[in-house]
């Protein structure tokens, strides 16, 4: 038993104080250790003291020293430890306490609580928690009316001198009782039994709490405690009807500033209980109480009392959000519910800028989703009535939200902290999501409404409009256009026409203009005549570093969606892009996006045009790279090399003249003939190939540079597919040389891509086969030297082998491939601590085992070495590997059973034979049951996964414990 274990020899409070003997948990030694924990400056001594004290708390001697530590002459820190030790003993080691000692333990705790009622509050709370734990363990048999008894005992013994202290002690005890229940370790059947008992016991408490809240003469501290006590009982599924009078008392208490916070918590907690919606009459009675807070809310807003307005808003939202469906169903009360909705609207539009002047409006956003969902889920007739009633409300909501989304004045915004600006950004995203959702309710009329407002704003000659107002309306448009298909909207042409009229004097407005154009890129693809209206704006913005993200992402969207309509503008786009790239206006990631945009753009041009543009675009970088290739390696030129290689690979990621990505769109989008002749990307790669080799020769031992080189070819292969064929021989040769000199995972990943794409191309596969055999041989040598320092290489190698087995299994027929060595490497990789590596090696075996029949070398190796594989898999399941990997090991076990059944039935008996394998916790019977279950299941992989999960829990001693709850 844990509580009876001896502490490790030599553990103690540390060198500063002579450590007590291992089991000498006396009062004096505990006090010494506590002194060391609190006051010794040496952190090691503190840690040792804490470890020793934890052992003391669970020792049998804790029953003795705990009470002594609670003596009145001790300091609160020592008394607190004594009370905590009692709680631990009662809550964790209840079975150690003889039944005939329950009553004396209860009496002692009650007496101490009475004494500490006027003493240290932290000690009082721990004693109350200990008594609460005792009560929960004794209920219902040994202490049937625990709560009523507590109330009676504390009321009966009250004397004029200490009445207030005893009342607070009783309230503390009643508050911690349900909290202790929520965290208690009671078995499930006991938990439901005790919950039902506690729910009944609230009848002994609630009248007392009401009485306390209604006495004007009582101090605030008692009323505050009474409200907290109410809050802690509500989660025990107390019916709302039973809470009604206390909720009303809490509403009255909202007028007292000292009780305001506790009252809000109590009301929100009671209203938010899932069960509350059953009590519709009580909910209807609460609406006038909430509406009665409107004057207090207005006063709070007027006085800038953010805490009070926040609290009242929480109460209104709790009622509206949790019970909108139940209240909508009460059609005859539509007016009072509409009044509540309008009160929440006031909270949404509360004056001031979030999060600096107010923090309330964000609480209301989910309510509008809920209300809309509930209206749209009503039956047709009711829905029609409510739609008519609430459409104007939702149009008003859009105005309110767009007003709240407005940026503050420039001068004010400049004083905001970066944290406040970030919170405001997130708040605007939440508003954007809400507007997008509201579109479902209001439809196309919402866009027309926004367009009319924007039009009036931009064409009004009476007064100049603020940029904030314009930006907010555009932001509303962008929010909807980003996710809703606006291709059929009749207002978008007008909006595209209005955008050039916007006087852009500000970064935030310019950003929103850019993002709005980006959101309309699909519409522009269907209406190419309008591209010229907005493209100049985007190209102009590219030169502004402050608009980097918005301008580059918008150009990328336009180039992707409208590429077939961009040839007339291509020269201009390339020239502007080249200019900003050379001036280094943008950060690395935006430069990469810009190259992707140019890749999309060039894909739609004629081959000669592509080559001409590629030449002008890439030449400066090639010249720079040539210069860098001559220099001795150092950190700054490494950054420049990786940057240039990154630009090339991002350009080649999207430059696809064969239009692979358009194939699913249908033939009408094939606006260009399939070009003849070499692919422009291949032409460029062949031109720069020697230069790349030269760079590599100097940077072979730098993983980042090697990775950047491999990325160019990997992205090109993925995009070009078969068109990449002319590059295959020289690339394979270069990869072989690279990998032979210094093995890197990225070279294996690129080899895997080549195997995947060219596996069924006899003309191009020989160099890939030679490369595969070479990298396998080099990796096997690496395994002999010790692969533990290279989990990434082992991971990539296992993935390469799995891909080869999937796409080209006859590679394993090669005489120069040592299948046995490869198999043994796989078994070794199963024992790596890195989860991705283990997963990859399981993937290798699940591809290898089905090939036993068709590839003789594989069949022979599995027959000779399969038992070793099974042993490794069972060791992992037995506890050597993370539980998160069990599905992968189950896949290997299933494959063994499906493809090597006769061998497995012999191996599993032999492997399971030794005692203690795969876990000392297993009986021979449990091992046998598992073996039989596995051998029986050759069809249903899911069942094998379930068996493995069950078995691994048994092996780890976790079966039937709390640890399995989320497994």
């Amino acid at each position: 038993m844990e509580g009876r274990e001896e502490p490790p020899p030599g553990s103690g409070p540390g060198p500063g104080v002579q450590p007590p003997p291992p089991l000498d948990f006396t009062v004096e030694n505990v006090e010494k250790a506590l002194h060391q924990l609190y006051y010794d400056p040496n952190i090691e001594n503190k840690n040792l003291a804490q470890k020793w004290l934890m052992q003391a708390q669970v020792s049998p001697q804790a029953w003795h020293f705990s009470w002594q530590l609670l003596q009145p002459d001790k300091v609160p820190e020592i008394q607190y430890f004594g009370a905590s030790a009692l709680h631990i003993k009662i809550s964790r080691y209840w079975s150690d306490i003889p039944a005939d000692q329950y009553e004396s333990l209860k009496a002692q705790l009650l007496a101490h609580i009475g004494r500490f009622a006027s003493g240290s509050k932290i000690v009082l709370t721990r004693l109350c928690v200990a008594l609460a734990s005792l009560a929960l363990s004794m209920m219902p048999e040994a202490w049937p009316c625990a709560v009523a008894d507590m109330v009676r005992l504390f009321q009966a013994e009250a004397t004029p001198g200490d009445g207030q202290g005893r009342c607070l002690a009783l309230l503390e005890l009643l508050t911690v009782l349900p909290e202790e229940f929520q965290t208690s370790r009671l078995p499930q059947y006991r938990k439901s039994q005790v919950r039902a008992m506690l729910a009944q016991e609230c009848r002994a408490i609630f009248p007392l709490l009401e009485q306390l809240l209604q006495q004007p003469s009582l101090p605030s501290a008692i009323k505050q405690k009474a409200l907290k006590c109410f809050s802690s009982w509500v989660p025990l599924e107390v019916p709302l009807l039973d809470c009604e009078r206390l909720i009303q008392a809490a509403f009255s208490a909202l007028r007292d500033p000292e009780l305001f916070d506790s009252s809000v918590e109590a009301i929100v907690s009671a209203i938010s209980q899932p069960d509350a919606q059953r009590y519709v009459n009580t909910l209807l009675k609460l609406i006038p109480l909430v509406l009665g807070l409107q004057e207090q809310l207005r006063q709070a807003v007027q006085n800038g009392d953010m805490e009070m307005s926040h609290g009242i808003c929480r109460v209104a939202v709790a009622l509206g959000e949790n019970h909108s469906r139940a209240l909508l169903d009460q059609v005859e009360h539509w007016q009072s519910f509409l009044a509540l909705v309008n009160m929440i609207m006031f909270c949404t539009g509360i004056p001031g800028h979030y999060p600096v002047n107010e923090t309330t409006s964000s609480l209301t956003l989910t309510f509008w989703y809920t209300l809309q969902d509930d209206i749209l889920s009503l039956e047709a007739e009711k829905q029609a009535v409510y739609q008519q009633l609430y459409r104007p409300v939702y149009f008003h909501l859009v105005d309110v939200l767009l007003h709240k989304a407005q940026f503050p004045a420039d001068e004010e915004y400049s004083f905001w902290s970066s944290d406040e600006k970030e919170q405001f950004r997130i708040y605007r995203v939440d508003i954007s999501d809400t507007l997008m959702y509201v579109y479902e309710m209001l439809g196309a009329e919402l866009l027309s409404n926004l367009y009319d407002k924007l039009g009036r704003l931009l064409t009004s000659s009476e007064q100049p409009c603020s940029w904030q107002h314009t930006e907010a309306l555009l932001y509303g448009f962008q929010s909807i256009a980003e996710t809703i298909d606006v291709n059929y909207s009749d207002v978008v042409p007008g909006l595209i026409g209005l955008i050039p009229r916007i006087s852009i004097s500000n970064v935030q407005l310019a950003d929103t203009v850019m993002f709005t154009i980006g959101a309309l890129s699909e519409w522009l693809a269907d209406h190419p005549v309008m591209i010229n209206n907005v493209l100049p704006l985007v190209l102009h913005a590219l030169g502004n570093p402050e608009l980097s993200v918005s301008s580059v992402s918008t150009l990328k969207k336009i180039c992707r969606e409208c590429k077939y309509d961009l040839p007339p503008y291509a020269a201009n786009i390339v020239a502007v892009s080249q200019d900003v790239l050379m001036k280094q206006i943008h950060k690395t990631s935006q430069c990469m996006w810009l190259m992707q945009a140019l890749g999309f753009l060039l894909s739609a041009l004629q081959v000669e045009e592509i080559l001409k543009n590629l030449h002008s675009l890439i030449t400066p970088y090639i010249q720079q790279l040539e210069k860098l290739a001559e220099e001795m390696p150092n950190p700054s030129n490494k950054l420049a090399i990786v940057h240039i290689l990154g630009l090339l690979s991002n350009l080649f990621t999207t430059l696809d003249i064969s239009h692979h990505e358009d194939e699913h769109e249908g033939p009408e989008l094939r606006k260009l003939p399939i070009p003849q002749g070499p692919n422009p990307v291949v032409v460029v790669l062949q031109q720069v190939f020697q230069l790349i080799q030269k760079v590599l020769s100097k940077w072979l031992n730098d993983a980042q540079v090697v990775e950047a080189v491999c990325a160019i070819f990997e992205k090109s292969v993925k995009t070009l597919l078969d068109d990449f064929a002319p590059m295959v021989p020289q690339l394979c040769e270069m990869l072989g040389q690279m990998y032979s000199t210094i093995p890197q995972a990225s070279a294996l990943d690129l080899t895997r891509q080549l195997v995947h794409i060219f596996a069924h191309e006899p003309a191009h596969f020989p160099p890939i086969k030679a490369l595969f055999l070479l990298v396998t041989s080099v990796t096997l040598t690496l395994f002999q030297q010790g692969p533990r320092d290279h989990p990434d290489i082992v991971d990539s190698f296992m993935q390469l082998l799995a891909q080869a087995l999937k796409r080209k299994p006859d590679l394993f027929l090669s005489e120069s491939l040592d299948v046995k060595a490869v198999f043994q490497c796989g078994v070794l990789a199963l024992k790596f601590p890195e989860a991705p590596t283990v997963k990859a090696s399981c993937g290798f075996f699940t591809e290898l085992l089905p090939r036993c029949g068709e590839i003789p070398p594989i069949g022979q190796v599995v027959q000779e070495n399969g038992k070793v594989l099974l042993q490794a898999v069972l060791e992992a399941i037995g506890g050597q590997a993370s539980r998160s990997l069990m599905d992968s090991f189950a896949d290997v076990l299933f494959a063994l059973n499906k493809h090597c059944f006769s061998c497995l039935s012999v191996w599993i008996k032999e492997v399971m034979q030794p005692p203690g394998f795969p876990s000392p916790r297993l009986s021979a019977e449990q091992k046998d049951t598992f073996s039989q279950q596995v051998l029986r299941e050759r069809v249903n992989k899911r069942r094998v996964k379930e068996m493995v999960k069950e078995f691994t829990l048994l092996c780890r001693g976790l079966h039937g414990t709390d640890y399995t709850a989320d497994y």
Side-chain angles (χ1 to χ4, degrees), residues 91 164 278 316 378 408 451 489 496 546 549 559 602 626 648 651 674 684 697 708 737 774 897 907 938 962:
S91 61
Q164 187 180 323
R278 287 173 43 211
L378 293 166
Y451 172 66
S489 168
I496 296 278
E546 290 185 292
V549 173
C559 289
L602 298 181
E626 281 169 344
L648 293 176
L651 177 64
I674 298 297
V684 172
S697 64
Q737 288 167 355
L774 174 65
N897 197 27
W907 293 336
R938 298 178 68 191
D962 292 348

Side-chain angles (χ1 to χ4, degrees), residues 254-275:
L254 284 168
R255 290 192 289 272
D256 182 338
E258 287 186 56
L259 302 179
F260 182 81
D261 289 346
S262 306
S263 302
V264 168
E265 292 304 331
I267 294 166
V268 169
S269 190
I271 292 175
S272 305
Q273 291 311 305
D275 191 45

Side-chain angles (χ1 to χ4, degrees), residues 518-548:
L520 295 171
S521 56
E522 285 185 40
W523 185 91
L524 287 168
D526 290 342
H527 305 82
V529 71
M530 303 297 277
I531 290 173
N532 202 33
N533 275 40
V534 291
L535 189 59
L537 286 173
V538 179
L539 295 178
H540 178 69
L542 275 182
N544 185 343
E546 290 185 292
L547 303 177
S548 183

